[in-house]
Amino acid sequence: QEASIYLRNNGQLIQAGTTSSNSGDGQLSVQQNTPETNAWAYYYWCSPIGNPGNIGSPKPAGNRSFGVNFLYEPNASSLTGATKVNITTGRDGLDTTTPITVSTRWLYTHPQPGTEAEGHYIRINSGNNAPPGFGFTMKGVGLSAPGGDQVYEFRGRPNSGTFSIPVAAPVLGVGQMTLAGNPYPSALDLNELFYDLPENAALGTFWYY
């Protein structure tokens, strides 16, 4: 069994430098939750981890993309145990299965600047196609309205280093957006991020979802 790190109770991972290779066999476990959820609740996410690769096989260093295959439901009886979520191509996710069932129909990224028009979103289905540092959409689970707190667990290689997210000025007065989020397995002060680099001045607005 590979060694792993489990961040719990607001635990954070601080990595030295900006070029951590993160190429070992271990995984990082980070939990995120939705206070109220059902099959129609739409959320925007950003994974703090990426594809860990096959355990025991040689791995390239660096960040890797995320997919629903690295999403788990925590086991209620254990601080470290979790089970990989079920997936369906159907319209609705379910909280009546063990583990929960997530619908891949609503998994999209928006990596290039554009309006919120549907055609600017890229469907990722069950593939590992959410680039590190970029956000993705995912609907909730459960067919009752609205349900309770649902905890999701991300398990994989921790993201590290610098992320360059493309932004663009409004086109004919219409704002352009890129879907991104906190790519790190730690808290991030958006005010500090904004003023960290002079080129961030090109950002016009932060929208929180």
Side-chain angles (χ1 to χ4, degrees):
Q1 180 68 28
E2 74 280 1
S4 297
I5 298 174
Y6 302 92
L7 299 182
R8 300 293 183 267
N9 299 320
N10 298 317
Q12 300 184 47
L13 175 67
I14 299 176
Q15 302 184 77
T18 59
T19 58
S20 298
S21 62
N22 292 341
S23 59
D25 283 347
Q27 298 188 61
L28 182 77
S29 165
V30 185
Q31 294 180 350
Q32 299 182 24
N33 71 299
T34 56
E36 290 188 0
T37 189
N38 57 40
W40 302 279
Y42 223 133
Y43 294 98
Y44 292 91
W45 301 83
C46 186
S47 175
I49 58 91
N51 180 358
N54 295 324
I55 301 301
S57 64
K59 304 177 183 63
N63 299 314
R64 303 179 72 186
S65 295
F66 171 82
V68 70
N69 296 300
F70 312 114
L71 197 62
Y72 292 71
E73 181 181 25
N75 297 340
S77 59
S78 171
L79 289 176
T80 59
T83 307
K84 188 176 293 188
V85 302
N86 296 313
I87 59 175
T88 179
T89 57
R91 290 184 175 87
D92 301 322
L94 298 170
D95 61 357
T96 55
T97 58
T98 303
I100 58 174
T101 299
V102 172
S103 172
T104 60
R105 185 178 291 252
W106 314 107
L107 297 174
Y108 288 82
T109 64
H110 193 307
Q112 294 300 323
T115 66
E116 285 199 280
E118 182 178 351
H120 290 155
Y121 284 85
I122 298 175
R123 196 171 188 176
I124 63 177
N125 296 309
S126 59
N128 305 324
N129 302 319
F134 288 85
F136 64 95
T137 66
M138 182 174 71
K139 279 197 173 184
V141 297
L143 295 177
S144 57
D149 193 322
Q150 178 62 54
V151 179
Y152 298 87
E153 188 164 321
F154 295 74
R155 289 194 175 203
R157 176 186 293 183
N159 291 329
S160 178
T162 300
F163 295 84
S164 297
I165 307 297
V167 297
V171 177
L172 299 177
V174 178
Q176 308 294 293
M177 64 161 281
T178 307
L179 188 57
N182 179 7
Y184 304 110
S186 61
L188 185 67
D189 187 317
L190 190 56
N191 187 62
E192 293 294 331
L193 169 68
F194 184 83
Y195 290 106
D196 186 51
L197 295 173
E199 52 265 37
N200 286 340
L203 298 173
T205 306
F206 288 108
W207 290 335
Y208 289 93
Y209 293 95

